[in-house]
Amino acid sequence: MSADVLGRWVPDRPVDVAAVFAKADFPWWIAGGYAIELAVGRELRAHGDLDVLVLRRDQALVRELLADWDLYVADPPGRGELRPWRSGDVLQPPLHDIWCRRTPEAPWSVQLMLDEAEDTQWVSRRDPAVRLPIDQFGRTTAMGIPYLAPEVQLFYKAKATRDKDETDFEAVLPLLDTPARAWLADAIKVIAPGHHWLRQLLPVSRT
């Protein structure tokens, strides 16, 4: 869904989101292009929105945390149709994309994404064969801001790469160690076995 479908977007900064989520008693991570920038430690490009990922099993907790916000779920996902996400409304798959703004008059500022988990494992909603221990799912900046591990964020971007995704890949690739490259290559082979990123990842991945 494009960021200009239903109203104006003025994305928060990661530090703004960290202030909002400071009292969260559940895991959360900055996602999307901002996650790549937090990994490389510099700005790479302009952003149309800011993504925050939480586990679906924690949706009631994040709904309570954002009780004063104006929240809408994309239903169905990717169609440009929104409906209010009301307190007590449990979102089941495939619903996973929530637009967030502080008031009905404010611009959209955060895109909340729900993802799956089983016990201590993150499970990709795109293919349950792609998994990772939750304690390896993210990183944390020196300022204490959690963000998706770069290899996980690149996996999300690999489905349908755009110019900005290529920019992110080239910027963060040198930071990926051998295990991270191997995991990413194996994960991409599940969803896109002919992906051109594999040529740069396979020399140091498992064969």
Side-chain angles (χ1 to χ4, degrees):
M1 183 184 307
S2 63
D4 60 353
V5 171
L6 295 172
R8 184 170 61 102
W9 274 85
V10 179
D12 278 356
R13 300 170 301 163
V15 67
D16 300 324
V17 171
V20 172
F21 280 73
K23 296 182 179 179
D25 56 356
F26 54 88
W28 64 275
W29 302 268
I30 298 290
Y34 276 109
I36 299 296
E37 290 188 348
L38 291 173
V40 301
R42 68 182 190 276
E43 184 176 333
L44 296 174
R45 54 181 174 80
H47 299 273
D49 58 11
L50 182 146
D51 299 333
V52 174
L53 189 145
V54 299
L55 300 177
R56 185 179 300 277
R57 65 192 183 192
D58 294 325
Q59 63 175 285
L61 298 175
V62 73
R63 182 64 185 79
E64 181 179 358
L65 180 72
L66 301 178
D68 295 333
W69 284 53
D70 193 41
L71 307 176
Y72 281 74
V73 60
D75 185 3
R79 296 283 184 86
E81 300 174 14
L82 302 177
R83 66 171 173 84
W85 186 27
R86 306 191 187 282
S87 179
D89 184 5
V90 178
L91 304 181
Q92 302 289 352
L95 302 180
H96 65 272
D97 181 6
I98 301 145
W99 290 29
C100 312
R101 58 190 174 186
R102 285 170 171 78
T103 70
E105 295 76 28
W108 303 108
S109 57
V110 174
Q111 192 161 11
L112 187 67
M113 314 298 291
L114 303 181
D115 223 337
E116 314 307 320
E118 293 179 8
D119 298 323
T120 61
Q121 294 269 319
W122 162 76
V123 180
S124 169
R125 66 176 178 269
R126 292 177 178 168
D127 193 308
V130 178
R131 296 169 176 249
L132 195 67
I134 293 171
D135 62 6
Q136 299 176 28
F137 190 57
R139 307 283 187 271
T140 305
T141 70
M143 295 178 60
I145 301 175
Y147 62 94
L148 286 191
E151 61 270 25
V152 177
Q153 187 55 63
L154 290 176
F155 166 74
Y156 281 105
K157 288 175 169 289
K159 181 180 180 182
T161 50
R162 302 150 294 182
D163 288 346
K164 63 182 181 180
D165 302 318
E166 300 294 346
T167 296
D168 292 347
F169 178 77
E170 294 297 333
V172 82
L173 180 62
L175 302 181
L176 300 185
D177 60 16
T178 297
R181 291 182 182 222
W183 181 88
L184 178 58
D186 289 347
I188 289 176
K189 283 187 283 187
V190 172
I191 63 165
H195 200 287
H196 62 278
W197 285 355
L198 292 173
R199 292 193 296 271
Q200 293 172 266
L201 294 168
L202 283 172
V204 290
S205 70
R206 294 190 298 275
T207 57

